[in-house]
């Protein structure tokens, strides 16, 4: 990997197609519905969500009911920063429930620090939470699994360096 440099940054879905077209981004990792029209993509991994809380949380370790889940105070990861709503809120709304998002953070890595010293909970991808097995809880509802896709501009389809990069991403996702 001599001479290769990587920069990981947040994606603004409204600018993604233009950034790929202009060459500002080589590859974007996004959900299937965020792949810009006409851009090639490949699925990397399928993921489910789980709830995390601190060890010895006062609510106990059993699976919460929908009502209990909605009454907890939540941390949300908002890629653009400052968002207090996510798809979980849509799931709850179908049953006439709302949750209180007390804290919004921009990066996943901040969540464990918040959870370990508070009674907050967070719903995150299972793959991220695997390292925190003792704090995992099943959700009281089924969430649709999501598939993470790599997308790029079609001019790189046959570029050997770009093919190598996509192979490395796939190997990381399946490994």
């Amino acid at each position: 990997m001599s001479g290769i440099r990587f920069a990981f940054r947040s994606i603004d879905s409204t600018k993604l197609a233009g950034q790929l077209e202009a060459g500002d981004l080589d590859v974007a990792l996004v959900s299937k519905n965020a792949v810009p029209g006409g851009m090639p993509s490949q699925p990397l991994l399928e993921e489910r969500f789980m709830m995390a809380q601190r060890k010895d949380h006062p609510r106990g370790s059993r699976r919460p009911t929908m009502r209990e889940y909605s009454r907890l105070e939540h941390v949300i990861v908002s890629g653009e920063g400052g968002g207090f709503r996510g798809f979980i809120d849509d799931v709850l709304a179908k049953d006439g429930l709302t949750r209180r998002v007390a804290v919004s953070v921009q990066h996943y890595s901040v969540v464990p620090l918040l959870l370990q010293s508070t009674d907050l909970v967070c719903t995150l991808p299972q793959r991220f939470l695997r390292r925190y097995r003792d704090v995992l809880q099943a959700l009281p509802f089924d969430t649709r699994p999501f598939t993470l896709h790599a997308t790029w501009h079609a001019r790189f389809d046959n570029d050997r360096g770009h093919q190598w990069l996509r192979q490395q991403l796939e190997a990381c996702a399946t490994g």
Side-chain angles (χ1 to χ4, degrees):
M1 286 194 7
S2 179
I4 297 175
R5 298 185 327 165
F6 294 94
F8 294 88
R9 40 191 253 208
S10 297
I11 293 174
D12 179 345
S13 59
T14 63
K15 298 178 182 175
L16 181 57
Q19 290 173 317
L20 291 168
E21 176 71 36
D24 295 335
L25 298 175
D26 294 314
V27 177
L29 305 179
V30 297
S31 64
K32 176 64 176 167
N33 62 352
V35 172
M39 297 283 179
S41 70
Q42 84 183 54
L44 294 176
L45 59 89
E46 185 174 273
E47 186 62 285
R48 293 203 164 274
F49 288 88
M50 295 195 73
M51 186 180 91
Q53 65 183 36
R54 73 175 167 88
K55 196 174 184 177
D56 301 322
H57 193 286
R59 64 161 293 281
S61 60
R62 65 176 172 66
R63 181 180 182 168
T65 66
M66 288 283 282
R67 188 165 302 285
E68 289 168 337
Y69 177 86
S70 68
R71 290 182 177 163
L72 295 167
E73 293 206 329
H74 297 257
V75 177
I76 190 170
V77 178
S78 171
E80 65 278 353
F84 286 90
R85 183 170 174 73
F87 81 92
I88 293 294
D89 299 289
D90 297 332
V91 172
L92 292 171
K94 288 178 185 173
D95 286 337
L97 298 170
T98 59
R99 66 176 174 164
R100 181 175 187 285
V101 176
V103 178
S104 175
V105 299
Q106 197 168 6
H107 304 284
Y108 283 88
S109 59
V110 177
V111 174
L113 299 171
L114 288 169
L115 294 185
Q116 73 186 9
S117 59
T118 68
D119 290 339
L120 297 168
V121 299
C122 192
T123 302
L124 293 172
Q126 184 175 9
R127 186 176 302 254
F128 175 78
L129 293 173
R130 277 191 199 145
R131 69 188 91 172
Y132 308 106
R133 283 192 171 94
D134 57 340
V135 299
L136 283 180
Q137 299 292 320
L139 291 169
F141 47 84
D142 287 327
T143 59
R144 64 189 188 278
F146 77 91
T147 305
L148 185 67
H149 285 254
T151 185
W152 59 92
H153 193 276
R155 72 176 168 273
F156 293 118
D157 278 346
N158 297 315
D159 181 279
R160 293 179 69 122
H162 206 275
Q163 289 172 340
W164 174 87
L165 176 59
R166 295 191 310 263
Q167 290 168 351
Q168 300 311 303
L169 289 171
E170 186 174 20
C172 288
T174 57

